[in-house]
């Protein structure tokens, strides 16, 4: 992998994805696109954080993209119920599917390296 290889980072603009962007910048990667999927499901102050983090990433010379999901209300209608134990489809439908669709359109040749920031200590399943 070279410093000019296109890297696409799926960001929530939580601490893990911010740390990943800092890691990439600290290692000198230049061709980075940060993709945030707006689920429409956030606390009132979250949009200001997203705007601040997008401005910060842009100040590093990185591109930022905000894509929209179908939204929680439509998700509940489509699945005829609220996500719960054994039926956890919200991350898949609200974040992963829109991100994969964006990738299919913007990286049809599968050339980009995709990065997602996750802490190993976040859960037993992810750590293993």
């Amino acid at each position: 992998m070279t410093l000019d290889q296109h890297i696409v980072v799926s960001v929530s603009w939580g601490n893990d994805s911010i740390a990943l962007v800092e890691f990439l910048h600290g290692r000198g990667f230049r061709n980075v696109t940060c993709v945030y999927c707006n689920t429409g499901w956030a606390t009132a102050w979250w949009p200001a954080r997203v705007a601040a983090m997008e401005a910060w990433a842009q100040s590093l010379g990185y591109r930022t993209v905000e894509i929209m999901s179908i939204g929680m209300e439509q998700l509940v209608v489509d699945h005829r119920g609220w996500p719960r134990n054994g039926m956890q489809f919200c991350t898949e439908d609200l974040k992963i599917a829109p991100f994969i669709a964006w990738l299919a359109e913007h990286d049809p040749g599968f050339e980009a390296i995709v990065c997602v920031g996750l802490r190993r200590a976040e859960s037993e399943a992810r750590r293993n």
Side-chain angles (χ1 to χ4, degrees):
M1 178 166 55
T2 68
L3 296 178
D4 287 320
Q5 172 111 27
H6 188 201
I7 297 175
V8 176
V9 184
S10 174
V11 295
S12 65
W13 293 125
N15 294 339
D16 296 347
S17 56
I18 291 169
L20 176 56
V21 172
E22 286 178 332
F23 173 85
L24 293 169
H25 184 259
R27 303 288 179 299
F29 289 98
R30 297 179 287 265
N31 189 7
V32 176
T33 301
C34 301
V35 180
Y36 170 72
C37 186
N38 187 336
T39 65
W41 191 257
T43 187
W45 54 266
W46 196 256
R49 179 181 174 118
V50 170
M53 293 300 96
E54 287 178 342
W56 167 71
Q58 291 165 8
S59 78
L60 302 177
Y62 293 168
R63 291 171 300 286
T64 60
V65 174
E66 185 170 330
I67 57 178
M68 297 299 296
S69 76
I70 62 170
M72 183 61 92
E73 289 181 32
Q74 187 61 49
L75 179 75
V76 170
V77 168
D78 290 352
H79 286 274
R80 296 185 176 107
W82 194 262
R84 60 190 179 282
N85 284 343
M87 199 174 150
Q88 296 180 356
F89 46 77
C90 56
T91 298
E92 174 73 29
D93 289 1
L94 294 180
K95 293 181 179 180
I96 296 171
F99 179 69
I100 297 298
W102 183 90
L103 278 173
E105 181 180 344
H106 292 90
D107 184 34
F110 298 93
E111 296 174 8
I113 298 204
V114 176
C115 298
V116 179
L118 297 172
R119 286 176 287 139
R120 224 180 321 177
E122 188 173 327
S123 72
E124 289 291 321
R126 286 186 174 158
R127 186 176 73 208
N128 294 331

